[in-house]
Amino acid sequence: MAGLALRLETLDAVTAPVAVTASVLRGAAGARAAAFAHERDRQEFLAGRAALLLFAAGLLDVDPGRLVARYDCPQCGPDAGHGRPAYLLDGGPAPLLLSASRAAGRVLLAGVAHPEAGTALGTDLEDSGRLAVAGFGADGFDPVALGAREQRWVQGLPAGKRNRARALLWARKEAWLKRSGEGLRRDPATVDALDLPGVADLALDGTDPRLDVAAPVPANLVAAVAFC
């Protein structure tokens, strides 16, 4: 995974210049932010977008004011404000692969500057505690999200480790489907996350040399990246 940059930030700690915040609010992102029913959700969405813009500018070593968001959704087109993140640099496509994921008040950012042709990137951050709180288990989550081999693998684990394993499998699937551009238009149960090329789990405790962790991370968070 040469050339891959990864950063995990706490959304409450994201500080963005006024110009960056104004840039994020322009266009479809501003409309999406205004549609949130809860202020905290709105603020976390905007902080995540600001963090990604600053991250992208850092990868290219350019002023963030030179970048304009241009998210690409295969179904809705490039002006929908969602989908695979990308930017224009001085009016032309920025030479970047980017992916981002928010969970539990944090944002995971992944990027590659000047990527090789044909490569793609996806990442995902998941909170395994949400599965326990929601009461998901073999009867709720597994038949919808997991294939038969994955369900057998989860059921073979001690009961106390199953929700974390489910969250990790889901993070791998999401990262892969973001990388492929299919998203959840594809049935996630058909993606076998036990054997996906180019997918790696991320250690979030500060021991992973690939990942820049801005603050301590709760043990219930898991993450994966797909890059190939």
Side-chain angles (χ1 to χ4, degrees):
M1 294 191 174
L4 175 64
L6 295 159
R7 180 170 174 79
L8 183 62
E9 295 198 41
T10 302
L11 289 165
D12 285 345
V14 173
T15 56
V18 173
V20 168
T21 301
S23 175
V24 170
L25 283 169
R26 284 196 294 268
R32 283 191 66 190
F36 280 101
H38 301 289
E39 179 62 16
R40 181 168 183 81
D41 293 338
R42 188 180 81 88
Q43 292 297 333
E44 289 193 347
F45 170 77
L46 292 173
R49 288 296 179 95
L52 182 60
L53 174 55
L54 293 170
F55 178 71
L59 290 178
L60 293 175
D61 193 23
V62 301
D63 187 284
R66 295 172 60 188
L67 296 173
V68 176
R70 185 144 175 104
Y71 282 65
D72 182 18
C73 174
Q75 279 191 315
C76 306
D79 297 317
H82 61 264
R84 182 177 287 158
Y87 290 92
L88 299 178
L89 173 62
D90 298 333
L96 284 172
L97 293 177
L98 292 167
S99 186
S101 180
R102 289 184 292 118
R106 288 162 177 79
V107 60
L108 176 61
L109 308 168
V112 179
H114 306 285
E116 294 184 10
T119 55
L121 174 66
T123 196
D124 192 59
L125 178 68
E126 294 292 336
D127 180 358
S128 64
R130 290 183 61 190
L131 292 173
V133 170
F136 286 131
D139 294 333
F141 180 84
D142 293 9
V144 175
L146 306 181
R149 190 166 78 113
E150 294 166 324
Q151 291 183 48
R152 289 193 297 270
W153 179 73
V154 168
Q155 291 304 314
L157 297 173
K161 295 184 177 181
R162 290 176 189 168
N163 276 338
R164 183 176 180 83
R166 291 181 176 107
L168 185 55
L169 289 175
W170 186 254
R172 293 175 187 174
K173 289 171 186 276
E174 282 268 22
W176 178 259
L177 291 171
K178 289 179 182 179
R179 180 214 161 272
S180 71
E182 296 170 285
L184 293 180
R185 292 184 303 279
R186 177 173 174 181
D187 180 356
T190 66
V191 179
D192 188 344
L194 294 173
D195 186 23
L196 287 172
V199 175
D201 301 333
L202 299 175
L204 305 181
D205 58 1
T207 62
D208 195 324
R210 299 169 296 184
L211 178 63
D212 177 16
V213 180
V217 178
N220 53 293
L221 293 185
V222 299
V225 60
F227 175 46
C228 56

